[in-house]
Amino acid sequence: MSTRRTTLIAIGSTLAVAAIGVMIWAGTTGPGDTAPTSPIAESQAPSTNNAAPQPEQPPLTLDRRIDGDPLAMGAIDAPVTLVEFADYRCPFCGVFSRDSMPQIKKEFVDTGLVRVEWRDFPIFGDDSVASAVAARAAGEQGKFWEYHDAIYAAAPERGHPDYPREKLVEFARQVGVPDMTKFTADLDSPELQQAVAKDLAEGKSLGVNSTPVFAINSTPVVGAQPLSVFQEAIRAELAKVGR
Protein backbone atom coordinates (compact mmCIF):
# COMPACT_ATOMS: atom_id res chain seq x y z
CA MET A 1 0.00 0.00 0.00
CA SER A 2 1.39 3.39 -1.00
CA THR A 3 2.30 6.05 1.53
CA ARG A 4 -0.34 8.40 0.12
CA ARG A 5 -3.06 5.73 0.23
CA THR A 6 -2.18 4.83 3.82
CA THR A 7 -2.29 8.46 4.86
CA LEU A 8 -5.60 9.12 3.10
CA ILE A 9 -7.14 6.16 4.92
CA ALA A 10 -5.85 7.55 8.21
CA ILE A 11 -7.30 10.98 7.45
CA GLY A 12 -10.56 9.38 6.38
CA SER A 13 -10.76 7.44 9.63
CA THR A 14 -10.18 10.66 11.56
CA LEU A 15 -12.93 12.40 9.59
CA ALA A 16 -15.30 9.53 10.29
CA VAL A 17 -14.56 9.52 14.01
CA ALA A 18 -14.89 13.31 14.14
CA ALA A 19 -18.24 13.14 12.34
CA ILE A 20 -19.55 10.58 14.80
CA GLY A 21 -18.35 12.70 17.71
CA VAL A 22 -20.07 15.81 16.38
CA MET A 23 -23.34 13.94 15.79
CA ILE A 24 -23.31 12.49 19.30
CA TRP A 25 -22.41 15.84 20.86
CA ALA A 26 -25.06 17.71 18.91
CA GLY A 27 -27.74 15.02 18.89
CA THR A 28 -27.50 15.11 15.05
CA THR A 29 -28.86 18.66 15.09
CA GLY A 30 -25.56 20.47 15.25
CA PRO A 31 -23.92 22.59 12.56
CA GLY A 32 -23.88 19.90 9.88
CA ASP A 33 -26.33 17.96 7.72
CA THR A 34 -26.22 14.18 7.83
CA ALA A 35 -26.85 12.07 4.78
CA PRO A 36 -30.11 10.12 4.94
CA THR A 37 -28.33 7.01 3.71
CA SER A 38 -24.80 5.59 3.40
CA PRO A 39 -23.77 5.35 7.07
CA ILE A 40 -20.09 5.25 7.89
CA ALA A 41 -18.72 1.76 7.53
CA GLU A 42 -17.16 0.39 10.69
CA SER A 43 -13.88 -1.47 10.60
CA GLN A 44 -11.67 -2.97 13.24
CA ALA A 45 -8.02 -2.03 13.14
CA PRO A 46 -5.64 -4.98 13.05
CA SER A 47 -3.76 -5.81 16.21
CA THR A 48 -0.38 -4.17 16.54
CA ASN A 49 0.92 -6.64 19.13
CA ASN A 50 4.46 -7.67 18.31
CA ALA A 51 4.36 -5.54 15.17
CA ALA A 52 7.56 -3.98 13.98
CA PRO A 53 7.71 -0.21 14.55
CA GLN A 54 6.69 1.75 11.47
CA PRO A 55 8.74 4.70 10.23
CA GLU A 56 7.05 8.04 10.69
CA GLN A 57 5.47 9.20 7.44
CA PRO A 58 5.34 12.81 6.32
CA PRO A 59 1.85 14.33 6.61
CA LEU A 60 -0.15 14.33 3.41
CA THR A 61 -3.40 16.11 2.65
CA LEU A 62 -6.40 15.56 0.42
CA ASP A 63 -5.46 18.39 -1.90
CA ARG A 64 -5.18 17.98 -5.66
CA ARG A 65 -3.36 21.25 -6.49
CA ILE A 66 -4.38 21.20 -10.15
CA ASP A 67 -3.21 24.30 -11.98
CA GLY A 68 -6.20 26.19 -13.33
CA ASP A 69 -8.73 24.16 -11.34
CA PRO A 70 -11.96 26.24 -11.50
CA LEU A 71 -13.15 24.66 -8.24
CA ALA A 72 -10.15 25.97 -6.30
CA MET A 73 -8.99 29.39 -5.20
CA GLY A 74 -5.73 30.56 -3.75
CA ALA A 75 -2.07 30.02 -4.59
CA ILE A 76 -1.32 26.56 -5.91
CA ASP A 77 1.73 26.41 -3.61
CA ALA A 78 -0.02 27.73 -0.50
CA PRO A 79 1.30 25.98 2.63
CA VAL A 80 -2.21 25.04 3.80
CA THR A 81 -5.16 23.65 1.90
CA LEU A 82 -8.75 23.72 3.05
CA VAL A 83 -10.72 20.98 1.30
CA GLU A 84 -14.50 21.25 1.71
CA PHE A 85 -17.06 18.49 1.07
CA ALA A 86 -20.45 20.19 0.74
CA ASP A 87 -23.95 20.15 -0.77
CA TYR A 88 -25.65 23.24 -2.22
CA ARG A 89 -28.92 22.24 -0.54
CA CYS A 90 -27.29 22.00 2.91
CA PRO A 91 -28.23 25.00 5.08
CA PHE A 92 -25.15 24.58 7.27
CA CYS A 93 -22.93 24.74 4.18
CA GLY A 94 -24.62 28.05 3.42
CA VAL A 95 -23.85 29.29 6.92
CA PHE A 96 -20.16 28.53 6.44
CA SER A 97 -20.13 30.15 3.00
CA ARG A 98 -21.80 33.34 4.20
CA ASP A 99 -20.37 33.69 7.71
CA SER A 100 -16.86 32.23 7.66
CA MET A 101 -15.51 31.97 4.14
CA PRO A 102 -15.30 35.72 3.43
CA GLN A 103 -12.98 36.25 6.42
CA ILE A 104 -10.95 33.10 5.65
CA LYS A 105 -10.50 34.36 2.10
CA LYS A 106 -9.44 37.84 3.25
CA GLU A 107 -7.13 36.67 6.01
CA PHE A 108 -5.56 33.55 4.52
CA VAL A 109 -6.42 32.97 0.84
CA ASP A 110 -5.73 36.47 -0.48
CA THR A 111 -2.42 36.52 1.42
CA GLY A 112 -1.18 33.30 -0.21
CA LEU A 113 -1.36 31.17 2.92
CA VAL A 114 -4.36 28.95 2.14
CA ARG A 115 -5.69 27.27 -0.97
CA VAL A 116 -9.38 26.28 -0.91
CA GLU A 117 -10.53 23.25 -2.91
CA TRP A 118 -14.20 22.37 -3.32
CA ARG A 119 -15.56 18.82 -3.38
CA ASP A 120 -19.14 18.09 -4.37
CA PHE A 121 -20.92 15.90 -1.84
CA PRO A 122 -24.57 15.90 -3.02
CA ILE A 123 -26.57 13.88 -0.50
CA PHE A 124 -30.04 15.41 -0.62
CA GLY A 125 -31.44 14.11 -3.88
CA ASP A 126 -31.52 14.97 -7.54
CA ASP A 127 -31.56 18.74 -7.02
CA SER A 128 -28.31 18.47 -5.06
CA VAL A 129 -26.69 16.74 -8.02
CA ALA A 130 -28.23 19.17 -10.51
CA SER A 131 -26.98 22.23 -8.63
CA ALA A 132 -23.50 20.70 -8.35
CA VAL A 133 -23.44 20.13 -12.10
CA ALA A 134 -24.71 23.68 -12.69
CA ALA A 135 -21.93 25.20 -10.59
CA ARG A 136 -19.40 23.22 -12.57
CA ALA A 137 -21.05 24.37 -15.79
CA ALA A 138 -20.56 27.96 -14.62
CA GLY A 139 -16.98 27.02 -13.78
CA GLU A 140 -16.43 25.96 -17.37
CA GLN A 141 -16.80 29.67 -18.15
CA GLY A 142 -14.80 30.99 -15.21
CA LYS A 143 -17.76 31.67 -12.94
CA PHE A 144 -17.67 28.80 -10.45
CA TRP A 145 -17.16 30.80 -7.25
CA GLU A 146 -19.60 33.51 -8.31
CA TYR A 147 -22.22 30.84 -8.94
CA HIS A 148 -21.36 29.03 -5.69
CA ASP A 149 -21.76 32.27 -3.74
CA ALA A 150 -25.05 33.17 -5.47
CA ILE A 151 -26.64 29.83 -4.55
CA TYR A 152 -25.68 30.14 -0.91
CA ALA A 153 -26.60 33.82 -0.72
CA ALA A 154 -30.13 32.93 -1.81
CA ALA A 155 -30.45 29.81 0.34
CA PRO A 156 -32.72 29.76 3.40
CA GLU A 157 -31.22 29.31 6.84
CA ARG A 158 -33.21 26.10 7.32
CA GLY A 159 -34.39 23.30 5.10
CA HIS A 160 -33.24 22.05 1.73
CA PRO A 161 -34.24 24.43 -1.11
CA ASP A 162 -35.44 23.13 -4.45
CA TYR A 163 -33.34 23.86 -7.51
CA PRO A 164 -35.35 23.23 -10.70
CA ARG A 165 -33.59 23.88 -13.97
CA GLU A 166 -35.12 27.33 -14.44
CA LYS A 167 -33.71 28.49 -11.11
CA LEU A 168 -30.25 27.13 -11.97
CA VAL A 169 -30.37 29.02 -15.26
CA GLU A 170 -31.45 32.19 -13.46
CA PHE A 171 -28.43 31.97 -11.14
CA ALA A 172 -26.21 31.76 -14.22
CA ARG A 173 -27.76 34.91 -15.66
CA GLN A 174 -27.42 36.62 -12.29
CA VAL A 175 -23.65 36.05 -12.09
CA GLY A 176 -23.01 36.90 -15.72
CA VAL A 177 -22.15 33.54 -17.28
CA PRO A 178 -21.24 34.74 -20.78
CA ASP A 179 -22.52 31.90 -22.98
CA MET A 180 -25.93 30.83 -21.75
CA THR A 181 -26.44 28.40 -24.60
CA LYS A 182 -23.31 26.50 -23.58
CA PHE A 183 -24.27 26.68 -19.91
CA THR A 184 -27.69 25.18 -20.59
CA ALA A 185 -26.15 22.41 -22.67
CA ASP A 186 -23.58 21.70 -19.96
CA LEU A 187 -26.36 21.04 -17.45
CA ASP A 188 -26.69 17.68 -19.22
CA SER A 189 -22.96 17.08 -19.64
CA PRO A 190 -22.00 13.47 -18.84
CA GLU A 191 -18.47 14.62 -18.05
CA LEU A 192 -19.63 17.11 -15.42
CA GLN A 193 -22.03 14.57 -13.93
CA GLN A 194 -19.19 12.07 -13.71
CA ALA A 195 -16.96 14.66 -12.00
CA VAL A 196 -19.64 15.23 -9.36
CA ALA A 197 -20.00 11.48 -8.86
CA LYS A 198 -16.23 11.15 -8.48
CA ASP A 199 -16.17 13.70 -5.66
CA LEU A 200 -19.07 11.97 -3.94
CA ALA A 201 -17.32 8.60 -4.17
CA GLU A 202 -14.11 10.08 -2.77
CA GLY A 203 -15.95 11.51 0.21
CA LYS A 204 -17.73 8.25 0.94
CA SER A 205 -14.45 6.33 0.73
CA LEU A 206 -13.07 8.65 3.42
CA GLY A 207 -16.02 8.07 5.74
CA VAL A 208 -17.75 11.40 5.09
CA ASN A 209 -21.52 11.14 5.65
CA SER A 210 -22.53 14.69 6.53
CA THR A 211 -22.05 18.20 5.22
CA PRO A 212 -20.07 20.31 5.46
CA VAL A 213 -16.87 18.42 6.26
CA PHE A 214 -13.43 19.96 5.92
CA ALA A 215 -9.81 18.84 5.88
CA ILE A 216 -7.36 21.62 6.74
CA ASN A 217 -4.22 19.83 5.64
CA SER A 218 -4.53 16.74 7.84
CA THR A 219 -6.81 18.38 10.43
CA PRO A 220 -10.53 17.50 10.13
CA VAL A 221 -13.28 19.97 10.95
CA VAL A 222 -16.85 18.70 10.85
CA GLY A 223 -19.78 21.04 10.51
CA ALA A 224 -20.20 24.80 10.20
CA GLN A 225 -18.14 25.51 13.29
CA PRO A 226 -17.49 29.09 14.43
CA LEU A 227 -14.95 31.07 12.40
CA SER A 228 -12.48 30.87 15.28
CA VAL A 229 -12.30 27.08 14.94
CA PHE A 230 -11.14 27.40 11.33
CA GLN A 231 -8.73 30.22 12.15
CA GLU A 232 -7.12 28.21 14.94
CA ALA A 233 -6.79 25.08 12.78
CA ILE A 234 -5.25 27.06 9.91
CA ARG A 235 -2.80 28.84 12.22
CA ALA A 236 -1.80 25.52 13.78
CA GLU A 237 -1.05 24.08 10.34
CA LEU A 238 0.89 27.23 9.37
CA ALA A 239 2.94 26.93 12.55
CA LYS A 240 3.95 23.41 11.57
CA VAL A 241 5.69 24.81 8.49
CA GLY A 242 7.09 27.87 10.24
CA ARG A 243 4.65 30.41 8.85
Side-chain angles (χ1 to χ4, degrees):
M1 184 177 294
S2 70
T3 298
R4 179 170 178 81
R5 177 63 176 164
T6 302
T7 306
L8 291 182
I9 290 174
I11 294 173
S13 299
T14 305
L15 288 171
V17 170
I20 293 172
V22 167
M23 287 187 288
I24 292 173
W25 173 74
T28 71
T29 61
D33 255 343
T34 304
T37 57
S38 304
I40 297 173
E42 295 182 356
S43 62
Q44 183 174 2
S47 172
T48 57
N49 292 339
N50 302 320
Q54 297 297 314
E56 184 177 350
Q57 302 291 351
L60 295 177
T61 66
L62 303 181
D63 60 57
R64 294 173 182 167
R65 296 187 185 267
I66 300 171
D67 191 20
D69 182 359
L71 277 65
M73 63 175 168
I76 197 169
D77 59 350
V80 172
T81 54
L82 185 155
V83 177
E84 176 184 6
F85 290 86
D87 184 318
Y88 290 109
R89 300 183 70 206
C90 160
F92 301 108
C93 302
V95 168
F96 170 78
S97 175
R98 295 187 298 270
D99 294 354
S100 296
M101 179 55 81
Q103 181 60 30
I104 291 172
K105 183 176 184 297
K106 178 181 178 181
E107 187 174 353
F108 299 109
V109 178
D110 293 346
T111 55
L113 297 173
V114 169
R115 176 177 176 83
V116 175
E117 296 189 2
W118 172 269
R119 302 286 187 272
D120 287 306
F121 200 72
I123 55 177
F124 297 107
D126 292 343
D127 279 9
S128 292
V129 175
S131 54
V133 171
R136 286 176 178 266
E140 292 290 294
Q141 301 187 51
K143 292 288 186 177
F144 172 80
W145 289 107
E146 291 87 348
Y147 196 94
H148 163 283
D149 292 349
I151 288 182
Y152 283 136
E157 293 187 2
R158 296 185 179 182
H160 308 295
D162 296 330
Y163 289 126
R165 178 173 286 236
E166 57 268 24
K167 185 174 288 189
L168 298 176
V169 170
E170 180 55 34
F171 281 130
R173 292 196 182 99
Q174 177 184 326
V175 302
V177 171
D179 188 339
M180 290 301 300
T181 300
K182 173 175 169 52
F183 174 84
T184 303
D186 281 344
L187 293 179
D188 299 311
S189 165
E191 291 78 15
L192 296 185
Q193 292 169 359
Q194 289 166 10
V196 171
K198 180 180 177 181
D199 276 5
L200 180 63
E202 179 189 31
K204 288 182 176 180
S205 74
L206 293 169
V208 176
N209 80 334
S210 65
T211 54
V213 169
F214 308 85
I216 300 174
N217 281 1
S218 58
T219 300
V221 176
V222 179
Q225 302 298 327
L227 172 63
S228 60
V229 172
F230 293 94
Q231 291 172 319
E232 289 170 9
I234 290 170
R235 288 168 184 154
E237 290 298 327
L238 288 170
K240 292 177 184 179
V241 294
R243 299 293 292 270

